[in-house]
Amino acid sequence: CPRRVLLSTALNADLSKELGAQAPLGFFDPLGLVADGDKDNFDRLRWVELKHGRIAMLGVVGYLVTYAGVRFPGAEDIPSGFAALDNLPGMVWAQMIATWSMMEAANQDQYAGPWGTNQNALGESPAEFKGDFRNGFIDFGWDKYSDDQKMRKRAIELNQGRAAQMGILGLMVHEKLGNVDQLLPPHF
């Protein structure tokens, strides 16, 4: 049966050796999202995890900065946390949505079109991995690292993103519980 052959080859991917399968949990997939061993699906989910981690890192920093009382000029009266959502003027919402759209368009591999389409004449992507947005432009010494150092740096970013996701979730939960001031001193 051709279907059996397809399934058996999909199970050959050993995802326990992939980036992010680290101590103390090792390869952790409690929902069975990649139980079939589909490497393409795993890579997509790893990219989503990396992206959400980067956004969560920005979210934690933004939450802490606004909680400390730092504001842009003209926004001194806007509170921090969830209370800010009800106090933002319409034009600020429009500016935020435009900024998010621009960031989404700019922060991708410029050599490959979105969602796997390639509609440009830039040629093959120089990206070493999904999430590598240097686009042949900016380096900061990355090319001088050995392959082991690069994997270590990527693992560090992945772990920091995981911690930030838990951190922003914790801040949001404690704000809704009304005890975030017990975690963070006022205007620390």
Side-chain angles (χ1 to χ4, degrees):
C1 176
R3 182 166 161 68
R4 276 197 171 161
V5 172
L6 178 65
L7 289 175
S8 66
T9 57
L11 291 173
N12 289 335
D14 183 11
L15 302 177
S16 66
K17 306 252 187 288
E18 291 293 322
L19 175 73
Q22 305 169 37
L25 297 177
F27 179 69
F28 185 65
D29 183 22
L31 300 177
L33 296 175
V34 290
D36 62 353
D38 184 355
K39 181 77 166 86
D40 290 336
N41 186 39
F42 176 83
D43 289 343
R44 185 189 67 78
L45 291 172
R46 177 59 39 137
W47 157 237
V48 169
E49 180 185 15
L50 180 64
K51 185 174 183 176
H52 284 106
R54 289 173 176 173
I55 292 167
M57 286 187 251
L58 291 172
V60 168
V61 171
Y63 191 98
L64 295 176
V65 167
T66 57
Y67 187 82
V70 178
R71 302 287 190 278
F72 285 114
E76 293 87 1
D77 58 338
I78 295 178
S80 62
F82 285 118
L85 298 176
D86 295 330
N87 292 293
L88 291 177
M91 282 307 295
V92 173
W93 279 107
Q95 291 169 358
M96 285 192 326
I97 291 170
T99 301
W100 294 334
S101 300
M102 298 262 305
M103 288 170 61
E104 187 68 23
N107 290 322
Q108 62 177 319
D109 187 350
Q110 298 299 319
Y111 288 79
W115 306 287
T117 62
N118 193 357
Q119 300 173 351
N120 58 47
L122 295 174
E124 287 297 313
S125 172
E128 292 181 27
F129 56 92
K130 193 143 173 81
D132 178 6
F133 297 139
R134 293 175 296 147
N135 291 313
F137 170 68
I138 197 162
D139 184 273
F140 294 122
W142 179 260
D143 289 334
K144 295 177 185 160
Y145 289 137
S146 69
D147 288 341
D148 287 340
Q149 288 173 314
K150 288 178 181 181
M151 287 302 283
R152 184 172 178 274
K153 294 289 188 184
R154 290 179 59 200
I156 289 170
E157 180 186 21
L158 193 59
N159 280 334
Q160 289 174 342
R162 290 171 175 170
Q165 289 176 67
M166 295 299 104
I168 193 66
L169 177 64
L171 287 169
M172 292 186 313
V173 166
H174 283 282
E175 181 180 337
K176 284 298 187 183
L177 291 174
N179 65 349
V180 76
D181 58 329
Q182 294 173 356
L183 298 174
L184 303 172
H187 302 295
F188 64 96

